[in-house]
Amino acid sequence: MAAAAAPPGAGCSPAGGGSVPVLFCFSVFARPSTVPHGAGYELLIQKFLSLYGDQIDIHRKFVVQLFAEEWSQYIDLPKGFVVSERCKVRLVPLQIQMTTLGNLTPSSTVFFCCDMQERFRPAIKYFGDIISVGQRLLQGARLLGIPVIVTEQYPKGLGSTVQEIDLTGAKLVLPKTKFSMVLPEVEAALAEIPGVRSVVLFGVETHVCIQQTALELIGRGLEVHIVADATSSRSMMDRMFALERLARTGIIVTTSEAILLQLVADKEHPKFKEIQNLIKTKVERSLK
């Protein structure tokens, strides 16, 4: 048997020498290889990555399973398993759909400001409004110590971020040509922020850069909150259908006030008064 903890008939047959043949299965693929005698879970994972690394999303959770002849099917890898005989294992992504709670805390949140640039001003519906809301969100991020990542779509042709938006303290301001904000530099910046779980996303255009960014982020296991009153498109129909589609994929469509109050969570929060003043500014502007 492959290990003392493995059940009888766990799909292995005797093999000698310093290495043991193992069939590594992932998705529709099956690739034979060898591992050292006595290899455990960690070495099996390393071998899966070496064989299928370009196809495995490392941000997802997986389970390793062992083919058990006794049951004629795969079982979860027994605790303490080590390879001592020929066997067949597979890597299975966990696909359990869990309800997204949408909780936000400053320590696990990052703000993404997408392409709020000068050349978009005459074309984007309600651009002045989303600039104002975006600026309040960035002020809130500074008050709460939340990292901010900013992109600019082809700034040589479309200009820089509008002057009304203060990028002081932004962790990263990056030019791009790709529609999604998920660039190697952005992924590296996220990796430097410990415990990031949630992204608050706003900017333009809803149905292009915002949508593609949000879909890439959830594909990497991050929870995404799109700020509806801080994102827009040239066409309101494009915006409406994009937000509907994104909501169906589990992305949270919300508002700037909901975001800011969720981040402080309590009237006794030391920054509550300052956040409240930002919200009052919004209300006063809407009444004018």
Side-chain angles (χ1 to χ4, degrees):
M1 289 314 308
C12 301
S13 60
S19 63
V20 182
V22 177
L23 185 65
F24 289 86
C25 305
F26 176 69
S27 184
V28 297
F29 307 103
R31 296 175 183 172
S33 188
T34 61
V35 297
H37 187 279
Y41 175 82
E42 294 297 334
L43 280 177
L44 291 175
I45 290 292
Q46 290 177 24
K47 180 62 73 169
F48 272 114
L49 290 173
S50 70
L51 292 171
Y52 299 107
D54 57 337
Q55 299 166 63
I56 295 174
D57 181 356
I58 61 173
H59 298 282
R60 296 188 66 176
K61 292 184 178 180
F62 293 85
V63 62
V64 178
Q65 294 186 325
L66 173 74
F67 188 80
E69 291 178 353
E70 179 185 7
W71 304 106
S72 299
Q73 68 177 22
Y74 283 97
I75 62 171
D76 291 350
L77 198 69
K79 185 177 180 181
F81 174 84
V82 294
V83 176
S84 61
E85 301 170 327
R86 180 202 304 256
C87 56
K88 181 166 63 172
V89 293
R90 72 176 179 180
L91 189 67
V92 183
L94 295 178
Q95 297 178 339
I96 300 171
Q97 297 297 318
M98 298 185 68
T99 302
T100 300
L101 296 177
N103 292 325
L104 286 173
T105 58
S107 62
S108 63
T109 300
V110 60
F111 280 21
F112 274 32
C113 177
C114 183
D115 306 349
M116 302 276 274
Q117 293 159 254
E118 192 58 48
R119 285 289 292 275
F120 289 124
R121 190 185 295 269
I124 301 296
K125 298 290 187 184
Y126 305 107
F127 193 66
D129 291 337
I130 67 169
I131 288 173
S132 297
V133 177
Q135 172 61 3
R136 282 196 294 276
L137 286 167
L138 294 182
Q139 287 178 273
R142 283 193 292 274
L143 286 170
L144 299 172
I146 296 171
V148 175
I149 292 175
V150 182
T151 58
E152 297 174 341
Q153 180 72 20
Y154 186 55
K156 183 177 178 181
L158 297 173
S160 301
T161 302
V162 296
Q163 291 184 351
E164 296 97 313
I165 290 185
D166 182 2
L167 300 182
T168 301
K171 181 174 180 65
L172 183 67
V173 180
L174 187 69
K176 67 181 178 70
T177 56
K178 180 183 177 182
F179 295 133
S180 169
M181 292 179 69
V182 184
L183 303 168
E185 297 90 338
V186 172
E187 293 195 84
L190 286 174
E192 294 173 358
I193 306 169
V196 171
R197 188 183 70 240
S198 307
V199 174
V200 172
L201 173 61
F202 56 96
V204 298
E205 286 187 74
T206 312
H207 66 296
V208 186
C209 297
I210 294 293
Q211 178 170 271
Q212 293 186 30
T213 300
L215 293 173
E216 282 207 55
L217 289 171
I218 62 167
R220 284 160 169 75
L222 290 164
E223 183 181 87
V224 180
H225 299 246
I226 293 180
V227 189
D229 53 333
T231 181
S232 190
S233 298
R234 289 164 295 166
S235 159
M236 288 294 95
M237 182 172 289
D238 283 333
R239 177 183 182 275
M240 177 182 71
F241 280 105
L243 291 177
E244 286 184 2
R245 176 194 175 185
L246 292 167
R248 286 197 299 271
T249 65
I251 289 164
I252 298 164
V253 180
T254 184
T255 66
S256 58
E257 182 171 335
I259 289 286
L260 292 172
L261 289 177
Q262 194 170 9
L263 285 166
V264 293
D266 192 318
K267 180 183 177 298
E268 300 305 315
H269 190 286
K271 298 294 183 180
F272 171 74
K273 285 292 185 183
E274 291 168 274
I275 294 296
Q276 185 183 46
N277 287 337
L278 290 179
I279 293 170
K280 284 181 178 177
T281 301
K282 169 192 169 184
V283 172
E284 289 167 2
R285 285 179 60 89
S286 67
L287 291 175
K288 289 181 180 179

